[in-house]
Amino acid sequence: MPVQTSPRPTSQDADPYARSSTIPSQGGRGGQRTGGAKKRTKRKDPLWARLTVIFGAVLMMTSGIAIVGSKALISQATGNIAQKNLLGGAGKTDAEGGADLDGPIDMLLLGVDARERWAADDVRADSIIVLHIPASHDQAYMISIPRDTEARIPAFKKSGYSGGTDKINAAFQAGARNGGGWEGGAQLMAQTIKNMTGISFDGAAIINFGGFKNVIDTLGSVRICVKHEVKSIHTVMVDGKQMWKADAKKTGRPMTPVVYKKGCRQMSGLEALDYSRQRYGLPNSDYDRQQNQQQLIKAMARKATEKGMLTNPVKINQLIRAAGKAFILDVGDVPVANFIFTLRGISASELTMLRTNGGTYNGNGNGSEALSPQTLEMFQAVKNDKLGEFVYANPTVLSTRS
């Protein structure tokens, strides 16, 4: 299947999840990183290859690269991946270290609420995570940006968006409209975040959290510690079986609520996905949900490494195929194999989850949400690769989840 490539634009261009885990096809990316990197050539890839190894790469990058094998083995496993251009002008230039992986690595992870009844260009990125890996490549940090943060969204030629002020999660929708697609949505989101924080990115991924259900079921389950009791607004129990409400209503059978009690336990894919999506009824609403989604990613990483999933090529393929359509990936002009191999020393225990705005709503005086001075300082520490020192001096930014 031919993959069409397109150059990365310059900086001027700048479910319920589980109802659909499919990423819409929008062509490939080849791209040209600003600053003089070489243009990626076209590839012919089978569809399954373009849709599969992506999860393995993202899980490894966000969790723990406990993978055994040579760089050649990794290259063989990832050789047919086609990437998309998700960063546009927000990608690191050569001068910023974008031509190699020798320095700090910054990734943008976008969780998209993709519902079957919605058009591909009518979605918002409701989970926005900046993944920072210091130049030592022995630690990883996740920082969530609140979805309702007021942001100045720049004009975006590809979608015809003229620019404006809105909640930051609207940037994805503004970039995706009028044929911009998810690629355009990610590019405009990345540029918006770069303008707000000063951070340029080495790579990005669009994650449909609904796709995590199949991954977790392949792992068997994940261990989640519930911090606050919460009643699900998305699922109910029917005859002892947990079901999405829309499906449960079709049965005509009595329904009882699903309540996640405080404490630690193993969760199935449906349970873990549903729990990570709750925000109503939690003390700090979306801020608690942010921590719960970070916790889910870390729990998946921990379970994968515990089971030896990432040390066995056969199991890696099983895991990758389970995730299949849940991701779109961009690691710039660096081969995916190099990206993975560079981060092979990071383990799940070295993934640190951080909170923005002290884990609670921060108003800006005109009724909108804004990043606090401490949070802006934290992002400056990311840009300067001083995040470890910042966290040591500001321990309150650490997540309260385990």
Side-chain angles (χ1 to χ4, degrees), residues 45-166:
D45 305 316
L47 180 60
W48 71 266
R50 296 185 356 180
L51 296 176
T52 54
V53 185
I54 288 172
F55 171 74
V58 173
L59 177 61
M60 292 172 193
M61 285 185 288
T62 59
S63 60
I65 321 304
I67 186 167
V68 174
S70 67
K71 189 173 180 179
L73 177 62
I74 299 172
S75 182
Q76 182 180 4
T78 61
N80 289 327
I81 297 179
Q83 300 173 62
K84 295 181 185 294
N85 177 356
L86 304 181
L87 291 176
K92 285 183 181 176
T93 64
D94 289 357
E96 294 175 305
D100 55 54
L101 299 174
D102 292 338
I105 297 170
D106 297 298
M107 292 281 295
L108 176 61
L109 309 179
L110 301 175
V112 176
D113 184 357
R115 308 189 188 189
E116 289 179 341
R117 65 180 182 274
W118 290 356
D121 61 355
D122 188 24
V123 295
R124 295 191 175 203
D126 284 340
S127 179
I128 307 166
I129 298 175
V130 174
L131 175 74
H132 174 71
I133 298 164
S136 56
H137 296 170
D138 59 357
Q139 183 77 25
Y141 300 87
M142 284 193 296
I143 308 172
S144 294
I145 298 178
R147 51 175 266 172
D148 292 339
T149 301
E150 185 177 79
R152 174 62 187 171
I153 304 172
F156 192 63
K157 184 177 180 181
K158 179 182 291 187
S159 67
Y161 178 67
S162 60
T165 300
D166 204 334

Side-chain angles (χ1 to χ4, degrees), residues 160-272:
Y161 178 67
S162 60
T165 300
D166 204 334
K167 295 179 179 179
I168 195 169
N169 70 337
F172 191 93
Q173 186 181 47
R177 65 178 59 159
N178 298 325
W182 286 21
E183 186 174 356
Q187 289 173 5
L188 185 53
M189 176 68 79
Q191 188 64 54
T192 301
I193 294 173
K194 178 179 178 178
N195 292 353
M196 176 183 289
T197 65
I199 298 171
S200 299
F201 296 98
D202 295 275
I206 299 174
I207 305 171
N208 184 345
F209 276 93
F212 277 176
K213 177 182 179 300
N214 292 336
V215 178
I216 297 167
D217 288 340
T218 299
L219 292 171
S221 63
V222 290
R223 185 174 186 269
I224 298 292
C225 293
V226 177
K227 180 76 172 181
H228 304 286
E229 180 175 311
V230 63
K231 177 182 175 182
S232 174
I233 66 167
H234 306 115
T235 66
V236 291
M237 299 297 294
V238 176
D239 296 332
K241 180 181 179 181
Q242 187 172 358
M243 301 178 66
W244 300 106
K245 282 187 176 180
D247 295 329
K249 289 177 181 178
K250 296 176 184 177
T251 68
R253 305 286 296 169
M255 298 179 289
T256 57
V258 170
V259 179
Y260 296 99
K261 301 284 188 180
K262 292 174 66 174
C264 300
R265 65 186 181 90
Q266 295 291 325
M267 290 190 183
S268 68
L270 176 57
E271 291 174 302

Side-chain angles (χ1 to χ4, degrees), residues 5-8 29-41 43 83-88 91-94 97-101 201-204 329-339:
T5 61
S6 59
R8 175 168 279 171
R29 63 95 59 203
Q32 186 170 331
R33 189 181 288 282
T34 55
K38 294 181 180 179
K39 187 174 182 179
R40 186 173 286 152
T41 57
R43 292 173 177 161
Q83 300 173 62
K84 295 181 185 294
N85 177 356
L86 304 181
L87 291 176
K92 285 183 181 176
T93 64
D94 289 357
D100 55 54
L101 299 174
F201 296 98
D202 295 275
L329 182 66
D330 179 359
V331 291
D333 294 289
V334 176
V336 175
N338 290 10
F339 214 106

